[in-house]
Amino acid sequence: MILVNTDYITGKELEMLGIVKGSTIQAKHVGHDILQGLKNLVGGELSAYTEMMNDARALATKRMVAEAQAMHADAVVNVRYTTSAVTQGAAEIVAYGTAVKFRN
């Protein structure tokens, strides 16, 4: 499956199949949350949250690709990600784009 953040794939004529998306809401264990809160006081990267968001992005992407595959897509163009805080220590990430099939 080809994923691109452009609305085209060079050399390919595309048939648009529709919007696809994948999402997840992730939270860290309360122990990690307390440690990250302490780290926030002194500064620096909040590595537990970085890891959480990387895992969430990978899962959201996997779910988006699965939805595109169910539509028999060859690629997803114009891929985007968005996040939002659901509650303290938990975030939602959504991956979305347009599923396409190659015409040639």
Side-chain angles (χ1 to χ4, degrees):
M1 177 72 55
I2 297 171
L3 305 176
V4 296
N5 65 351
T6 58
D7 59 357
Y8 63 90
I9 298 174
T10 303
K12 299 288 186 185
E13 188 176 335
L14 306 176
E15 174 188 342
M16 306 300 174
L17 300 177
I19 295 173
V20 289
K21 49 90 182 99
S23 66
T24 185
I25 298 174
Q26 299 282 315
K28 269 296 177 201
H29 181 277
V30 71
H32 286 288
D33 202 35
I34 291 168
L35 291 174
Q36 293 304 290
L38 294 174
K39 177 82 172 209
N40 196 28
L41 293 174
V42 297
E45 181 178 4
L46 303 176
S47 57
Y49 289 118
T50 299
E51 180 183 340
M52 177 185 74
M53 292 307 292
N54 284 338
D55 292 346
R57 194 170 22 260
L59 181 56
T61 302
K62 181 178 177 180
R63 289 176 176 172
M64 177 187 66
V65 167
E67 194 170 300
Q69 288 172 331
M71 298 170 77
H72 304 288
D74 296 315
V76 179
V77 298
N78 207 24
V79 173
R80 300 287 185 260
Y81 295 92
T82 186
T83 63
S84 62
V86 175
T87 186
Q88 185 175 350
E92 176 187 34
I93 187 158
V94 179
Y96 63 96
T98 303
V100 298
K101 218 162 175 37
F102 300 147
R103 286 192 179 160
N104 51 348

Coordinates of all heavy atoms in Angstrom, one line a residue:
M1 N 0.9 -1.2 0.0 CA 0.0 0.0 0.0 C 0.9 1.2 0.0 O 1.8 1.4 0.9 CB -0.9 0.0 1.2 CG -1.8 1.2 1.4 SD -3.2 1.3 0.3 CE -4.0 -0.2 0.5
I2 N 0.7 2.1 -0.9 CA 1.4 3.4 -1.0 C 0.7 4.4 -0.2 O -0.5 4.6 -0.4 CB 1.6 3.8 -2.5 CG1 2.4 2.8 -3.3 CG2 2.2 5.2 -2.6 CD1 2.4 3.0 -4.8
L3 N 1.4 5.1 0.6 CA 0.8 6.2 1.4 C 1.6 7.5 1.1 O 2.9 7.5 1.2 CB 0.9 6.0 2.9 CG 0.3 4.7 3.4 CD1 0.6 4.5 4.9 CD2 -1.2 4.7 3.2
V4 N 0.9 8.5 0.7 CA 1.6 9.8 0.3 C 0.9 11.0 0.9 O -0.4 10.9 1.1 CB 1.8 10.0 -1.2 CG1 2.8 8.9 -1.8 CG2 0.5 10.0 -1.9
N5 N 1.6 12.1 1.2 CA 0.9 13.3 1.7 C 0.6 14.3 0.6 O 0.2 15.4 0.9 CB 1.7 13.9 2.8 CG 3.0 14.4 2.4 OD1 3.4 14.2 1.3 ND2 3.7 15.2 3.2
T6 N 0.7 13.9 -0.6 CA 0.3 14.7 -1.8 C -1.0 14.2 -2.3 O -1.4 13.1 -2.0 CB 1.4 14.6 -2.9 OG1 1.6 13.2 -3.3 CG2 2.8 15.1 -2.4
D7 N -1.6 15.0 -3.2 CA -2.9 14.5 -3.8 C -2.7 13.8 -5.1 O -3.7 13.7 -5.9 CB -3.9 15.7 -3.9 CG -3.4 16.8 -4.7 OD1 -2.2 16.8 -5.2 OD2 -4.1 17.8 -4.9
Y8 N -1.5 13.4 -5.4 CA -1.2 12.7 -6.7 C 0.0 11.7 -6.4 O 0.7 11.8 -5.4 CB -0.8 13.7 -7.8 CG 0.5 14.5 -7.4 CD1 1.7 14.0 -7.8 CD2 0.4 15.7 -6.7 CE1 2.9 14.7 -7.5 CE2 1.6 16.3 -6.3 CZ 2.8 15.8 -6.7 OH 4.0 16.5 -6.4
I9 N 0.1 10.8 -7.4 CA 1.3 9.9 -7.4 C 1.8 10.1 -8.9 O 1.1 9.8 -9.8 CB 0.9 8.5 -7.1 CG1 0.4 8.4 -5.7 CG2 2.1 7.6 -7.3 CD1 -0.2 7.0 -5.3
T10 N 3.0 10.5 -9.0 CA 3.6 10.8 -10.3 C 3.5 9.6 -11.2 O 3.8 8.5 -10.8 CB 5.1 11.2 -10.1 OG1 5.2 12.3 -9.2 CG2 5.7 11.6 -11.5
G11 N 3.0 9.9 -12.4 CA 2.9 8.8 -13.4 C 1.7 7.9 -13.3 O 1.5 7.0 -14.1
K12 N 0.8 8.2 -12.4 CA -0.4 7.4 -12.2 C -1.7 8.2 -12.3 O -1.8 9.3 -11.8 CB -0.4 6.8 -10.8 CG 0.8 5.9 -10.5 CD 0.7 4.6 -11.2 CE 1.8 3.6 -10.8 NZ 1.8 2.4 -11.6
E13 N -2.6 7.7 -13.0 CA -3.9 8.3 -13.1 C -4.8 7.6 -12.0 O -4.8 6.4 -11.9 CB -4.6 8.0 -14.5 CG -5.9 8.8 -14.7 CD -6.4 8.6 -16.1 OE1 -5.7 8.3 -17.0 OE2 -7.7 8.7 -16.2
L14 N -5.4 8.4 -11.2 CA -6.0 7.9 -10.0 C -7.6 7.9 -10.1 O -8.1 8.9 -10.5 CB -5.6 8.7 -8.7 CG -4.1 8.8 -8.5 CD1 -3.8 9.7 -7.3 CD2 -3.5 7.4 -8.3
E15 N -8.2 6.9 -9.6 CA -9.6 6.9 -9.4 C -9.9 7.0 -7.9 O -9.4 6.1 -7.1 CB -10.2 5.5 -9.9 CG -11.7 5.4 -9.7 CD -12.2 4.0 -10.0 OE1 -11.5 3.2 -10.8 OE2 -13.2 3.6 -9.5
M16 N -10.6 8.0 -7.5 CA -10.9 8.2 -6.1 C -11.9 7.3 -5.6 O -13.0 7.2 -6.2 CB -11.3 9.7 -5.8 CG -10.4 10.7 -6.4 SD -8.8 10.6 -5.6 CE -7.9 11.9 -6.5
L17 N -11.7 6.6 -4.5 CA -12.6 5.6 -3.9 C -13.4 6.2 -2.7 O -14.5 5.8 -2.4 CB -11.9 4.4 -3.5 CG -11.2 3.6 -4.6 CD1 -10.5 2.4 -4.0 CD2 -12.1 3.2 -5.7
G18 N -12.7 7.1 -2.0 CA -13.4 7.7 -0.9 C -12.4 8.0 0.3 O -11.3 7.5 0.3
I19 N -12.9 8.6 1.3 CA -12.1 8.9 2.5 C -12.0 7.7 3.3 O -12.9 6.9 3.5 CB -12.8 10.1 3.3 CG1 -12.8 11.3 2.5 CG2 -12.1 10.3 4.6 CD1 -13.6 12.5 3.1
V20 N -10.8 7.5 3.9 CA -10.5 6.4 4.8 C -9.8 7.0 6.0 O -9.2 8.1 6.0 CB -9.6 5.3 4.2 CG1 -10.3 4.5 3.2 CG2 -8.3 5.9 3.6
K21 N -10.1 6.4 7.2 CA -9.5 6.9 8.4 C -9.2 5.8 9.4 O -9.8 4.7 9.2 CB -10.4 8.0 9.0 CG -11.8 7.6 9.2 CD -12.2 6.9 10.5 CE -13.6 6.6 10.6 NZ -13.8 5.2 10.3
G22 N -8.4 6.0 10.3 CA -8.1 5.1 11.4 C -7.9 6.0 12.6 O -7.3 7.1 12.5
S23 N -8.3 5.5 13.8 CA -8.1 6.3 15.0 C -7.8 5.4 16.2 O -8.2 4.2 16.2 CB -9.3 7.2 15.2 OG -10.4 6.5 15.5
T24 N -7.3 6.0 17.2 CA -7.1 5.3 18.5 C -7.0 6.4 19.6 O -6.6 7.5 19.3 CB -5.9 4.4 18.5 OG1 -5.8 3.7 19.7 CG2 -4.6 5.2 18.3
I25 N -7.4 6.0 20.8 CA -7.2 6.9 22.0 C -6.2 6.1 22.9 O -6.5 4.9 23.2 CB -8.5 7.2 22.7 CG1 -9.4 7.9 21.7 CG2 -8.2 7.9 24.0 CD1 -10.8 8.2 22.3
Q26 N -5.2 6.7 23.3 CA -4.1 6.1 24.1 C -4.0 6.8 25.4 O -4.1 8.1 25.4 CB -2.8 6.1 23.4 CG -2.8 5.3 22.0 CD -2.8 3.8 22.2 OE1 -2.0 3.3 23.0 NE2 -3.6 3.1 21.5
A27 N -3.6 6.1 26.5 CA -3.3 6.7 27.7 C -2.1 6.0 28.3 O -1.9 4.8 28.1 CB -4.5 6.6 28.7
K28 N -1.4 6.7 29.1 CA -0.2 6.1 29.9 C -0.7 5.6 31.2 O -1.6 6.2 31.8 CB 0.9 7.1 30.0 CG 1.9 7.1 28.9 CD 2.6 5.8 28.9 CE 3.5 5.6 27.7 NZ 3.9 4.3 27.4
H29 N 0.0 4.6 31.7 CA -0.2 4.1 33.1 C 0.0 5.3 34.1 O 0.9 6.1 33.9 CB 0.8 3.0 33.3 CG 0.7 2.4 34.7 ND1 1.3 2.9 35.8 CD2 0.1 1.2 35.1 CE1 1.1 2.1 36.8 NE2 0.3 1.1 36.4
V30 N -0.8 5.3 35.1 CA -0.7 6.4 36.1 C 0.7 6.6 36.6 O 1.1 7.7 36.9 CB -1.8 6.3 37.2 CG1 -1.5 5.1 38.1 CG2 -2.0 7.6 37.9
G31 N 1.4 5.5 36.8 CA 2.8 5.7 37.3 C 3.7 6.4 36.3 O 4.4 7.3 36.7
H32 N 3.5 6.1 35.1 CA 4.3 6.9 34.0 C 3.8 8.3 34.0 O 4.6 9.2 33.8 CB 4.1 6.2 32.6 CG 4.8 5.0 32.4 ND1 6.2 4.9 32.3 CD2 4.4 3.7 32.3 CE1 6.5 3.7 32.1 NE2 5.5 2.9 32.1
D33 N 2.5 8.5 34.2 CA 2.0 9.9 34.2 C 2.6 10.7 35.3 O 2.9 11.9 35.1 CB 0.4 9.8 34.3 CG -0.2 11.1 33.8 OD1 0.3 11.6 32.8 OD2 -1.3 11.4 34.3
I34 N 2.7 10.2 36.5 CA 3.3 10.9 37.6 C 4.8 11.2 37.3 O 5.2 12.4 37.5 CB 3.2 10.1 38.9 CG1 1.7 10.0 39.3 CG2 4.0 10.7 40.0 CD1 1.4 9.0 40.4
L35 N 5.5 10.2 36.8 CA 6.9 10.5 36.5 C 7.1 11.5 35.4 O 8.0 12.4 35.4 CB 7.6 9.2 36.1 CG 7.8 8.1 37.2 CD1 8.3 6.8 36.6 CD2 8.7 8.6 38.3
Q36 N 6.2 11.5 34.4 CA 6.3 12.5 33.3 C 5.9 13.9 33.8 O 6.5 14.9 33.4 CB 5.4 12.1 32.1 CG 5.9 10.8 31.4 CD 7.3 10.9 30.9 OE1 7.6 11.6 30.0 NE2 8.2 10.2 31.6
G37 N 5.0 13.9 34.8 CA 4.7 15.2 35.4 C 5.8 15.8 36.1 O 6.1 17.0 36.1
L38 N 6.6 15.0 36.8 CA 7.8 15.5 37.5 C 8.9 15.9 36.5 O 9.5 17.0 36.7 CB 8.4 14.4 38.4 CG 7.6 13.9 39.6 CD1 8.2 12.7 40.3 CD2 7.4 15.1 40.5
K39 N 9.0 15.2 35.4 CA 9.9 15.6 34.3 C 9.5 16.9 33.7 O 10.4 17.7 33.3 CB 9.9 14.5 33.2 CG 10.8 14.8 32.0 CD 12.2 14.4 32.3 CE 13.0 14.6 31.0 NZ 14.1 13.7 30.9
N40 N 8.2 17.2 33.6 CA 7.7 18.4 33.1 C 8.2 19.6 33.9 O 8.3 20.7 33.4 CB 6.2 18.4 33.0 CG 5.6 19.4 32.2 OD1 6.2 19.9 31.2 ND2 4.4 19.8 32.5
L41 N 8.4 19.4 35.2 CA 8.9 20.5 36.1 C 10.3 20.9 35.8 O 10.6 22.1 35.9 CB 8.8 20.1 37.6 CG 7.4 19.8 38.1 CD1 7.4 19.3 39.5 CD2 6.6 21.1 38.1
V42 N 11.1 20.0 35.4 CA 12.5 20.3 35.1 C 12.9 20.5 33.7 O 13.9 20.9 33.3 CB 13.5 19.2 35.8 CG1 13.3 19.2 37.3 CG2 13.2 17.9 35.2
G43 N 11.9 20.1 32.8 CA 12.1 20.3 31.4 C 12.7 19.1 30.7 O 13.1 18.1 31.4
G44 N 12.7 19.1 29.4 CA 13.2 17.9 28.6 C 12.1 17.2 28.0 O 10.9 17.5 28.2
E45 N 12.5 16.2 27.2 CA 11.5 15.4 26.4 C 10.7 14.5 27.4 O 11.3 13.8 28.3 CB 12.2 14.5 25.4 CG 11.2 13.7 24.6 CD 11.9 12.9 23.5 OE1 13.1 12.9 23.4 OE2 11.1 12.3 22.7
L46 N 9.5 14.4 27.2 CA 8.6 13.5 27.9 C 8.6 12.2 27.1 O 7.6 11.9 26.4 CB 7.2 14.1 28.1 CG 7.2 15.4 28.8 CD1 5.8 16.0 28.9 CD2 7.8 15.3 30.2
S47 N 9.6 11.3 27.3 CA 9.8 10.2 26.4 C 8.7 9.2 26.5 O 8.3 8.5 25.5 CB 11.1 9.5 26.8 OG 11.2 9.1 28.1
A48 N 8.0 9.0 27.6 CA 6.9 8.1 27.7 C 5.8 8.5 26.8 O 5.1 7.7 26.2 CB 6.4 7.9 29.2
Y49 N 5.5 9.8 26.8 CA 4.5 10.4 25.9 C 4.9 10.3 24.4 O 4.0 10.1 23.6 CB 4.1 11.8 26.3 CG 3.3 11.8 27.6 CD1 3.8 12.5 28.7 CD2 2.1 11.2 27.7 CE1 3.1 12.5 29.9 CE2 1.4 11.2 28.9 CZ 1.9 11.9 30.0 OH 1.3 11.9 31.2
T50 N 6.1 10.5 24.1 CA 6.6 10.4 22.8 C 6.4 9.0 22.3 O 5.9 8.8 21.2 CB 8.1 10.8 22.7 OG1 8.3 12.1 23.1 CG2 8.7 10.6 21.3
E51 N 6.7 8.0 23.1 CA 6.5 6.6 22.8 C 5.1 6.3 22.6 O 4.7 5.6 21.6 CB 7.1 5.7 23.8 CG 7.0 4.2 23.6 CD 7.5 3.4 24.7 OE1 8.3 3.9 25.5 OE2 7.0 2.2 24.8
M52 N 4.2 6.8 23.5 CA 2.8 6.6 23.4 C 2.2 7.2 22.1 O 1.5 6.5 21.4 CB 2.1 7.3 24.5 CG 0.5 7.2 24.5 SD -0.3 8.1 25.8 CE -0.1 9.8 25.2
M53 N 2.6 8.4 21.7 CA 2.1 9.0 20.5 C 2.7 8.3 19.2 O 1.9 8.1 18.2 CB 2.5 10.5 20.4 CG 1.7 11.3 21.5 SD -0.1 11.1 21.4 CE -0.5 11.9 19.9
N54 N 3.9 7.8 19.2 CA 4.4 7.0 18.1 C 3.6 5.7 17.9 O 3.3 5.3 16.8 CB 5.9 6.7 18.3 CG 6.8 7.9 18.1 OD1 6.4 8.8 17.4 ND2 8.0 7.9 18.6
D55 N 3.3 5.0 19.0 CA 2.6 3.8 19.0 C 1.1 4.1 18.5 O 0.6 3.4 17.7 CB 2.5 3.1 20.4 CG 3.8 2.6 20.8 OD1 4.8 2.5 20.0 OD2 3.9 2.3 22.0
A56 N 0.6 5.2 19.0 CA -0.8 5.6 18.5 C -0.8 5.9 17.1 O -1.8 5.5 16.4 CB -1.3 6.7 19.4
R57 N 0.2 6.6 16.6 CA 0.2 7.0 15.2 C 0.3 5.8 14.3 O -0.3 5.6 13.3 CB 1.4 8.0 14.9 CG 1.4 8.7 13.6 CD 2.4 9.8 13.5 NE 3.6 9.7 14.3 CZ 3.7 10.4 15.5 NH1 2.8 11.2 15.9 NH2 4.8 10.3 16.2
A58 N 1.2 4.8 14.7 CA 1.3 3.6 14.0 C 0.0 2.8 13.9 O -0.4 2.2 12.9 CB 2.4 2.7 14.6
L59 N -0.7 2.7 15.1 CA -2.0 2.0 15.1 C -3.0 2.7 14.3 O -3.8 2.0 13.5 CB -2.4 1.8 16.5 CG -3.7 1.1 16.8 CD1 -3.7 -0.3 16.1 CD2 -4.0 1.0 18.2
A60 N -3.1 4.0 14.3 CA -4.1 4.7 13.5 C -3.8 4.5 12.0 O -4.7 4.3 11.2 CB -4.1 6.2 13.9
T61 N -2.5 4.6 11.7 CA -2.2 4.3 10.3 C -2.5 2.9 9.8 O -3.1 2.8 8.7 CB -0.6 4.6 10.1 OG1 -0.3 5.9 10.5 CG2 -0.2 4.4 8.6
K62 N -2.3 2.0 10.7 CA -2.6 0.6 10.3 C -4.1 0.4 10.1 O -4.5 -0.3 9.2 CB -2.1 -0.3 11.5 CG -2.4 -1.8 11.3 CD -1.9 -2.6 12.5 CE -2.2 -4.1 12.3 NZ -1.7 -4.9 13.4
R63 N -4.9 1.1 10.9 CA -6.4 1.0 10.8 C -6.8 1.7 9.5 O -7.8 1.2 8.9 CB -7.0 1.6 12.0 CG -6.9 0.6 13.3 CD -7.4 1.2 14.5 NE -7.3 0.3 15.6 CZ -7.6 0.5 16.9 NH1 -8.0 1.7 17.2 NH2 -7.4 -0.4 17.8
M64 N -6.2 2.8 9.2 CA -6.6 3.5 8.0 C -6.2 2.6 6.8 O -7.0 2.5 5.8 CB -5.8 4.8 7.9 CG -6.0 5.6 6.6 SD -5.0 7.0 6.4 CE -3.4 6.3 6.2
V65 N -5.1 2.0 6.8 CA -4.7 1.1 5.7 C -5.6 0.0 5.5 O -6.0 -0.4 4.4 CB -3.2 0.7 5.8 CG1 -2.9 -0.5 4.9 CG2 -2.2 1.8 5.6
A66 N -6.0 -0.6 6.7 CA -7.0 -1.7 6.6 C -8.3 -1.3 6.0 O -8.9 -2.1 5.2 CB -7.2 -2.3 8.0
E67 N -8.8 -0.1 6.3 CA -10.0 0.4 5.7 C -9.8 0.6 4.2 O -10.7 0.2 3.4 CB -10.4 1.7 6.3 CG -11.8 2.2 6.0 CD -12.2 3.3 6.9 OE1 -12.3 3.2 8.1 OE2 -12.6 4.4 6.3
A68 N -8.6 1.1 3.8 CA -8.4 1.2 2.3 C -8.3 -0.1 1.6 O -8.8 -0.3 0.5 CB -7.1 2.0 2.1
Q69 N -7.6 -1.1 2.3 CA -7.5 -2.4 1.7 C -8.9 -3.0 1.5 O -9.2 -3.7 0.5 CB -6.6 -3.3 2.5 CG -5.2 -2.9 2.4 CD -4.3 -3.7 3.4 OE1 -4.7 -4.0 4.5 NE2 -3.0 -3.8 3.0
A70 N -9.8 -2.8 2.4 CA -11.2 -3.3 2.3 C -11.9 -2.7 1.1 O -12.8 -3.3 0.6 CB -12.0 -3.0 3.6
M71 N -11.5 -1.5 0.7 CA -12.0 -0.9 -0.5 C -11.3 -1.3 -1.8 O -11.5 -0.8 -2.9 CB -12.0 0.6 -0.4 CG -12.8 1.1 0.8 SD -12.5 2.9 1.2 CE -13.5 3.6 -0.2
H72 N -10.3 -2.2 -1.6 CA -9.4 -2.6 -2.7 C -8.6 -1.5 -3.3 O -8.4 -1.4 -4.5 CB -10.2 -3.4 -3.8 CG -11.0 -4.5 -3.3 ND1 -10.4 -5.7 -2.8 CD2 -12.3 -4.7 -3.0 CE1 -11.3 -6.5 -2.4 NE2 -12.5 -5.9 -2.5
A73 N -8.2 -0.6 -2.5 CA -7.4 0.6 -2.9 C -5.9 0.1 -3.2 O -5.4 -0.8 -2.6 CB -7.4 1.7 -1.8
D74 N -5.3 0.9 -4.1 CA -3.9 0.7 -4.3 C -3.0 1.6 -3.5 O -1.8 1.3 -3.3 CB -3.5 0.9 -5.8 CG -4.3 -0.1 -6.7 OD1 -4.2 -1.3 -6.4 OD2 -4.8 0.4 -7.7
A75 N -3.6 2.7 -3.1 CA -2.8 3.7 -2.3 C -3.8 4.6 -1.5 O -5.0 4.6 -1.7 CB -2.0 4.6 -3.3
V76 N -3.2 5.4 -0.6 CA -3.9 6.4 0.1 C -3.2 7.7 -0.2 O -2.0 7.8 0.1 CB -4.1 6.2 1.6 CG1 -4.9 7.3 2.2 CG2 -4.8 4.8 1.8
V77 N -3.8 8.7 -0.7 CA -3.2 10.0 -1.0 C -3.7 11.1 0.0 O -4.7 10.9 0.6 CB -3.5 10.5 -2.5 CG1 -2.9 9.5 -3.5 CG2 -4.9 10.7 -2.7
N78 N -2.9 12.1 0.1 CA -3.3 13.3 0.9 C -3.4 12.8 2.4 O -4.4 13.2 3.1 CB -4.6 14.0 0.4 CG -4.6 15.4 0.8 OD1 -3.6 16.0 1.1 ND2 -5.8 16.0 0.9
V79 N -2.5 12.0 2.8 CA -2.6 11.4 4.2 C -2.3 12.6 5.2 O -1.3 13.3 5.0 CB -1.6 10.3 4.4 CG1 -1.5 9.8 5.8 CG2 -1.9 9.1 3.5
R80 N -3.1 12.6 6.2 CA -2.9 13.6 7.3 C -3.1 13.0 8.6 O -3.8 11.9 8.7 CB -4.0 14.8 7.1 CG -3.9 15.5 5.8 CD -2.6 16.4 5.8 NE -2.6 17.2 4.6 CZ -1.9 17.0 3.5 NH1 -1.1 15.9 3.5 NH2 -1.9 17.8 2.5
Y81 N -2.6 13.6 9.7 CA -2.8 13.2 11.0 C -3.3 14.4 11.9 O -2.9 15.5 11.6 CB -1.5 12.7 11.7 CG -0.9 11.5 11.0 CD1 0.0 11.6 10.0 CD2 -1.3 10.2 11.4 CE1 0.5 10.4 9.3 CE2 -0.8 9.1 10.8 CZ 0.1 9.2 9.8 OH 0.6 8.1 9.2
T82 N -4.1 14.1 12.8 CA -4.6 15.1 13.8 C -4.7 14.4 15.1 O -4.9 13.2 15.3 CB -5.9 15.7 13.3 OG1 -6.3 16.8 14.2 CG2 -7.1 14.7 13.4
T83 N -4.4 15.3 16.1 CA -4.5 14.8 17.5 C -5.4 15.7 18.4 O -5.6 16.9 18.0 CB -3.1 14.7 18.2 OG1 -2.6 16.1 18.3 CG2 -2.2 13.9 17.4
S84 N -5.9 15.2 19.4 CA -6.6 16.0 20.4 C -6.5 15.3 21.8 O -6.4 14.1 21.9 CB -8.1 16.1 20.0 OG -8.7 14.9 20.0
A85 N -6.5 16.1 22.8 CA -6.5 15.6 24.2 C -7.9 15.2 24.5 O -8.8 16.0 24.4 CB -5.9 16.7 25.1
V86 N -8.0 14.0 25.0 CA -9.4 13.5 25.4 C -9.6 13.8 26.9 O -10.6 14.3 27.3 CB -9.5 12.0 25.1 CG1 -10.8 11.5 25.6 CG2 -9.3 11.8 23.6
T87 N -8.5 13.6 27.7 CA -8.5 13.8 29.1 C -7.0 14.0 29.5 O -6.1 13.7 28.6 CB -9.2 12.7 29.9 OG1 -9.3 13.1 31.3 CG2 -8.5 11.4 29.7
Q88 N -6.7 14.4 30.7 CA -5.3 14.5 31.1 C -4.6 13.1 31.0 O -5.1 12.1 31.5 CB -5.2 15.0 32.5 CG -3.8 15.3 32.9 CD -3.7 15.9 34.3 OE1 -4.7 16.3 34.9 NE2 -2.5 16.0 34.8
G89 N -3.5 13.1 30.2 CA -2.8 11.9 30.0 C -3.3 10.9 29.0 O -2.8 9.9 28.8
A90 N -4.3 11.3 28.2 CA -4.9 10.5 27.1 C -5.1 11.4 25.9 O -5.5 12.5 26.0 CB -6.2 9.9 27.5
A91 N -4.7 10.8 24.8 CA -4.8 11.6 23.5 C -5.4 10.7 22.4 O -5.2 9.5 22.4 CB -3.5 12.1 23.1
E92 N -6.2 11.3 21.5 CA -6.7 10.6 20.4 C -5.8 11.1 19.2 O -5.4 12.2 19.1 CB -8.1 11.1 20.1 CG -8.7 10.4 18.8 CD -10.1 11.0 18.4 OE1 -10.3 12.1 18.6 OE2 -10.8 10.2 17.8
I93 N -5.6 10.1 18.3 CA -4.9 10.5 17.1 C -5.7 9.8 15.9 O -6.2 8.7 16.0 CB -3.4 10.0 17.0 CG1 -2.7 10.5 15.8 CG2 -3.3 8.5 17.1 CD1 -1.2 10.5 15.9
V94 N -5.9 10.6 14.9 CA -6.6 10.2 13.7 C -5.7 10.3 12.5 O -5.1 11.3 12.3 CB -7.9 11.0 13.5 CG1 -8.7 10.6 12.3 CG2 -8.8 11.0 14.7
A95 N -5.7 9.2 11.7 CA -5.0 9.2 10.4 C -6.1 9.2 9.4 O -7.0 8.4 9.5 CB -4.1 8.0 10.3
Y96 N -6.0 10.0 8.3 CA -7.0 10.0 7.3 C -6.4 10.4 6.0 O -5.4 11.0 5.9 CB -8.2 10.9 7.7 CG -7.8 12.4 7.8 CD1 -8.0 13.3 6.8 CD2 -7.3 12.9 9.0 CE1 -7.7 14.6 6.9 CE2 -7.0 14.2 9.2 CZ -7.2 15.1 8.1 OH -6.8 16.4 8.3
G97 N -7.1 10.0 4.9 CA -6.7 10.4 3.6 C -7.7 9.9 2.6 O -8.8 9.5 3.0
T98 N -7.4 9.9 1.3 CA -8.3 9.5 0.2 C -7.8 8.2 -0.4 O -6.6 8.1 -0.9 CB -8.4 10.5 -0.9 OG1 -8.9 11.7 -0.3 CG2 -9.4 10.1 -1.9
A99 N -8.6 7.1 -0.3 CA -8.2 5.8 -0.9 C -8.4 6.0 -2.4 O -9.3 6.6 -2.9 CB -9.1 4.7 -0.4
V100 N -7.4 5.5 -3.2 CA -7.4 5.6 -4.7 C -7.0 4.2 -5.3 O -6.4 3.4 -4.7 CB -6.5 6.7 -5.2 CG1 -6.9 8.0 -4.7 CG2 -5.0 6.4 -4.8
K101 N -7.5 4.0 -6.5 CA -7.1 2.9 -7.3 C -6.4 3.5 -8.6 O -6.7 4.5 -9.0 CB -8.4 2.2 -7.8 CG -8.2 0.7 -7.8 CD -9.5 0.0 -7.8 CE -9.3 -1.5 -7.9 NZ -8.2 -2.1 -7.3
F102 N -5.4 2.7 -9.0 CA -4.6 3.1 -10.2 C -5.5 2.8 -11.5 O -6.0 1.7 -11.6 CB -3.3 2.5 -10.3 CG -2.4 2.8 -9.1 CD1 -1.5 1.8 -8.7 CD2 -2.4 4.0 -8.5 CE1 -0.6 2.1 -7.6 CE2 -1.6 4.3 -7.4 CZ -0.7 3.3 -7.0
R103 N -5.6 3.7 -12.4 CA -6.3 3.5 -13.6 C -5.4 2.9 -14.7 O -5.9 2.2 -15.6 CB -6.9 4.8 -14.2 CG -8.1 5.2 -13.4 CD -8.9 6.3 -14.1 NE -10.0 6.7 -13.3 CZ -10.7 7.8 -13.4 NH1 -10.3 8.7 -14.3 NH2 -11.7 8.1 -12.7
N104 N -4.1 3.1 -14.6 CA -3.2 2.6 -15.6 C -2.2 1.7 -15.1 O -2.0 1.6 -13.9 CB -2.5 3.7 -16.4 CG -1.8 4.8 -15.5 OD1 -2.1 4.8 -14.3 ND2 -1.1 5.6 -16.1

